[in-house]
Each structure stands twice: as structure tokens, then as C-alpha cells.
Amino acid sequence: MREFVKSIFLLIIVLSFTNKTAQSQESLWQNKTHGISFSASTLIIATPLNFSYNYMIHKGKFHYGLTTGLTVGFYEITRYSSLGAHAVFTMFFGKNKGHFESKFGFSYSPIILYSKTQWTDYAYEFVPIISLGYRYQEPGSDNFWRVFVSTGGFGVGVGKILNN
């Protein structure tokens, strides 16, 4: 399992340093992009961290696609932790730098990474994801950030477009 996680991180690092070709600001919103992102949220009893791959299609003011990746959850502050995956449908609207963003999908985390006690009340292997927030990304920019409220709590995220 450690080798798999190391491979994912290595792939993210290699992809972030790939050579990019210049595009006009207008053309960014008329094509397909892929990127990586990281987000964290908390409800105090549960804190999910998400490492994601994003594939987006841009049609005028409407942007949609798939976000998928690894989820690491920490429960009861840091009493125990789990590992799994998530898959969500992502949408955001607008042509300017500020966007309303929504995500709908699920997270499945069946692997207990550690537990400080022998007993856990871990009953959340499958969690539906509903996220509503604000995404800041200037047209033509490689970077974005977001703030949101979701089934995982209040959160923040950052990301990078890899093929801009």
C-alpha cells in the first residue's frame, strides 16, 4: 500500500513540472483541461484530506467534469484514520475569475490506517459528498483556490491546471 501511495505522489510531482504551451485567456474556457488539487475540511469529529485529479470540460460559462483521487480521513481528532477513494461530478459557472462551484459524488474509505485504541466507532466507509463553494480562478491562470462547505465540513482547497 505504501508503494501505491508513493507512486501517486511521484506522478503528481512529475505532472506538475511538465512543459505547458501558452493559450489565450479566451481559449482556456473552450477546451478540456486536467489538473491536480488538494483540499481539507473539518467537522472536528472527522477531518478528510483529499488528493485529486481533475478532468474538466469548458463550454462557455459552464464548466463540468470529474474529480477523483485519494481520501485520508482522521476521526475524533486523531484517534484513528482511514484511507480510501472519492469520485465526484464537479460543476462551476462563469467566465470571470469568481465562480460558484458544486460537487456531487461519494467517498469510500474501507482501510483503517491506524487506531490508538483497539475499538473504533468507524461506521463511515461510504459517505455521500455534497459540496457547495466559491472557486477563484482567473481565465488563463494555472492555479485556483476554493472555499466550501460540504458533508466533510468547512474546507479550503488549492489546485493547478497541468495542460494550460
Side-chain angles (χ1 to χ4, degrees), residues 128-146:
I129 296 173
I130 300 170
S131 175
L132 302 172
Y134 174 80
R135 176 182 177 128
Y136 182 88
Q137 179 180 356
E138 292 186 26
S141 173
D142 289 344
N143 303 311
F144 64 89
W145 59 266
R146 56 189 288 265

Side-chain angles (χ1 to χ4, degrees), residues 41-48 74-78 152-154:
S41 58
T42 189
L43 282 172
I44 298 176
I45 59 170
T47 302
F74 297 93
Y75 305 94
E76 298 175 15
I77 309 297
T78 59
F154 297 97

Side-chain angles (χ1 to χ4, degrees), residues 4 25 45 60 82 90 107 131 141:
F4 175 73
Q25 287 186 356
I45 59 170
S82 68
T90 302
S107 173
S131 175
S141 173

Side-chain angles (χ1 to χ4, degrees), residues 41-110:
S41 58
T42 189
L43 282 172
I44 298 176
I45 59 170
T47 302
L49 305 176
N50 297 305
F51 304 92
S52 303
Y53 168 78
N54 310 292
Y55 176 78
M56 301 298 296
I57 298 170
H58 308 283
K59 302 251 184 206
K61 291 184 178 184
F62 183 59
H63 316 278
Y64 63 96
L66 179 66
T67 300
T68 186
L70 294 176
T71 297
V72 178
F74 297 93
Y75 305 94
E76 298 175 15
I77 309 297
T78 59
R79 184 166 288 182
Y80 60 100
S81 179
S82 68
L83 174 68
H86 63 275
V88 295
F89 178 74
T90 302
M91 298 181 293
F92 61 95
F93 306 94
K95 275 192 159 183
N96 297 321
K97 53 189 170 188
H99 309 279
F100 168 74
E101 181 183 60
S102 61
K103 294 177 180 267
F104 304 96
F106 66 92
S107 173
Y108 180 65
S109 300

